[in-house]
Amino acid sequence: MTSAPATSAIVLRPARTSDVHAIKELVAPLAERRILISKESVTYFESIQEFLIAEVDGQVVGCGALHVMWEDLAEIRTLATADSWRGHGVGRALVARLLENAEVLGVSRVFCLTFEVDFFVRNGFTVMADQSAVDPAVYSELLRSADEGIAEFLDLARVKPNTLGNTRMIRQL
């Protein structure tokens, strides 16, 4: 990854299958620091349509995904910026576009599970005071999902080793 010139414009675009390698490269150092969970390539391919890519001068410098969980609820996941581009607005631009995408889809709440609490607060998220963000009938339906992100949202015991220290945050749209 290159250093961040002050004059370069961040371009956001939908991810393509050819971006999976770059997404894995962005996630790898964050996974090593236990900030993100590394996933198998097949998982990225299966969800590529959920991803946005941030580019500067044709180089991938960030990524993020929006995963719909329920009628009114989605999750921002796999938000990653190249270390050399942190603090240059890449993450902020990705979150803003992902939130716009959520509104277009009809989602009214967006969830994230993060160590980057201050960043998400600056982007309008609040710490979830009430861990039961869905009613019991929806909770029962969500339990049927095999998606690990939904299991993390529901705070199921089987995912707790992966989420220790993370903060559940939410934003109303």
Side-chain angles (χ1 to χ4, degrees), residues 105-145:
L105 292 169
V107 171
S108 60
R109 299 179 300 158
V110 178
F111 159 81
C112 69
L113 185 63
T114 185
F115 288 106
E116 302 293 338
V117 173
D118 293 339
F119 169 82
F120 280 98
V121 165
R122 288 191 306 272
N123 284 278
F125 286 74
T126 58
V127 174
M128 288 176 58
D130 180 8
Q131 295 299 318
S132 60
V134 295
D135 68 46
V138 172
Y139 184 91
S140 177
E141 289 285 335
L142 290 174
L143 281 174
R144 298 177 184 163
S145 174

Side-chain angles (χ1 to χ4, degrees), residues 52-73:
L52 286 178
I53 295 295
E55 286 183 328
V56 175
D57 298 330
Q59 179 183 15
V60 176
V61 298
C63 66
L66 180 73
H67 180 78
V68 175
M69 299 170 75
W70 197 252
E71 178 180 10
D72 65 336
L73 183 66

Side-chain angles (χ1 to χ4, degrees), residues 1-170:
M1 306 286 167
T2 63
S3 62
T7 59
S8 296
I10 300 165
V11 176
L12 301 179
R13 63 168 175 80
R16 300 183 285 261
T17 56
S18 58
D19 293 317
V20 167
H21 181 71
I23 292 169
K24 288 187 68 132
E25 282 186 3
L26 288 167
V27 170
L30 298 169
E32 286 175 20
R33 296 192 306 253
R34 301 184 55 84
I35 294 169
L36 289 179
I37 297 172
S38 183
K39 299 174 184 166
E40 298 296 329
S41 294
V42 68
T43 303
Y44 293 120
F45 283 116
E46 289 174 340
S47 60
I48 199 68
Q49 70 279 1
E50 298 178 352
F51 275 86
L52 286 178
I53 295 295
E55 286 183 328
V56 175
D57 298 330
Q59 179 183 15
V60 176
V61 298
C63 66
L66 180 73
H67 180 78
V68 175
M69 299 170 75
W70 197 252
E71 178 180 10
D72 65 336
L73 183 66
E75 177 187 13
I76 288 180
R77 47 171 73 167
T78 318
L79 185 67
T81 301
D83 283 341
S84 61
W85 281 89
R86 289 184 69 128
H88 294 277
V90 174
R92 183 176 57 247
L94 284 163
V95 167
R97 179 70 60 81
L98 292 168
L99 292 172
E100 288 173 15
N101 292 353
E103 286 188 90
V104 168
L105 292 169
V107 171
S108 60
R109 299 179 300 158
V110 178
F111 159 81
C112 69
L113 185 63
T114 185
F115 288 106
E116 302 293 338
V117 173
D118 293 339
F119 169 82
F120 280 98
V121 165
R122 288 191 306 272
N123 284 278
F125 286 74
T126 58
V127 174
M128 288 176 58
D130 180 8
Q131 295 299 318
S132 60
V134 295
D135 68 46
V138 172
Y139 184 91
S140 177
E141 289 285 335
L142 290 174
L143 281 174
R144 298 177 184 163
S145 174
D147 184 89
E148 287 298 302
I150 291 177
E152 291 168 355
F153 173 75
L154 297 176
D155 202 23
L156 301 180
R158 68 182 169 84
V159 296
K160 285 194 187 284
N162 292 335
T163 62
L164 289 176
N166 282 350
T167 300
R168 286 171 170 66
M169 301 188 77
I170 198 154

